[in-house]
Amino acid sequence: MNCIAAVDRNWAIGLNGKLLVNIPADMKYFRKMTDGKVLIMGRKTLESFPKKQPLQRRVNIVLTRDVSFAVPGAIVVHSAEEALEAASAYPPEDVFVIGGGEIYRTFLPLCDTAYITRVDYAYDADTYFPNLDEDPAWELREEGDEQTLFDLVYAFDVYCRKISAG
């Protein structure tokens, strides 16, 4: 299983239910990496999408505590176990955990690869991704080339679990 996130220099990912920054190349990277794949996300992440609708051309698995929550085009589950059961019908390398913070913390121990867009800036934030640089189970496998958007510097990095989670 994989996870994908954009983080700032403090591993922050969001503020008030929104991404910290909109980098068109990061959105394109996300689309490329997840097109035709399976996404596991929390309800708040789904509700941050345009029109609060599931992403097209992907299997959307939405984890929520709200038992009355339903959205057309998504598989709604109410526990991590149910999410994993729904995802088990697909190859693990096709499954991407896409947030938010609680979802990342829940599923990161089951992931082998983390696709991280590192943004060299510190934002005000209330939601964080676990710091993989400080986690001895993870190593930076591919450091992406530095890119810029106006005065913002970012890179697409790939972290791998040192010992397979699967």
Side-chain angles (χ1 to χ4, degrees), residues 12-46:
I13 59 171
L15 178 66
N16 299 325
K18 295 186 175 20
L19 294 175
L20 298 174
V21 62
N22 183 345
I23 300 172
D26 179 50
M27 294 294 150
K28 185 177 179 182
Y29 179 71
F30 176 88
R31 280 191 304 273
K32 180 184 107 179
M33 296 301 294
T34 65
D35 188 47
K37 307 293 187 199
V38 179
L39 308 180
I40 296 176
M41 71 193 85
R43 176 191 50 80
K44 292 177 193 169
T45 296
L46 172 76

Side-chain angles (χ1 to χ4, degrees), residues 110-166:
L110 305 174
C111 292
D112 290 317
T113 307
Y115 298 93
I116 303 295
T117 302
R118 297 287 299 266
V119 180
D120 189 20
Y121 188 83
Y123 291 92
D124 286 333
D126 58 15
T127 309
Y128 293 83
F129 190 93
N131 185 333
L132 300 182
D133 290 329
E134 294 178 355
D135 187 332
W138 289 87
E139 64 184 348
L140 178 60
R141 183 73 49 87
E142 295 175 31
E143 195 165 359
D145 294 334
E146 218 174 67
Q147 302 187 44
T148 57
L149 175 67
F150 301 108
D151 59 347
L152 199 58
V153 177
Y154 63 95
F156 300 115
D157 294 343
V158 179
Y159 286 79
C160 293
R161 182 173 293 283
K162 290 179 183 175
I163 299 169
S164 176

Side-chain angles (χ1 to χ4, degrees), residues 6 14 17 34 42 44 48 59-60 63 67 75 90 102 115 141 146:
T34 65
K44 292 177 193 169
S48 74
V59 175
N60 292 256
L63 179 55
V67 294
I75 300 167
Y90 305 92
E102 191 176 337
Y115 298 93
R141 183 73 49 87
E146 218 174 67

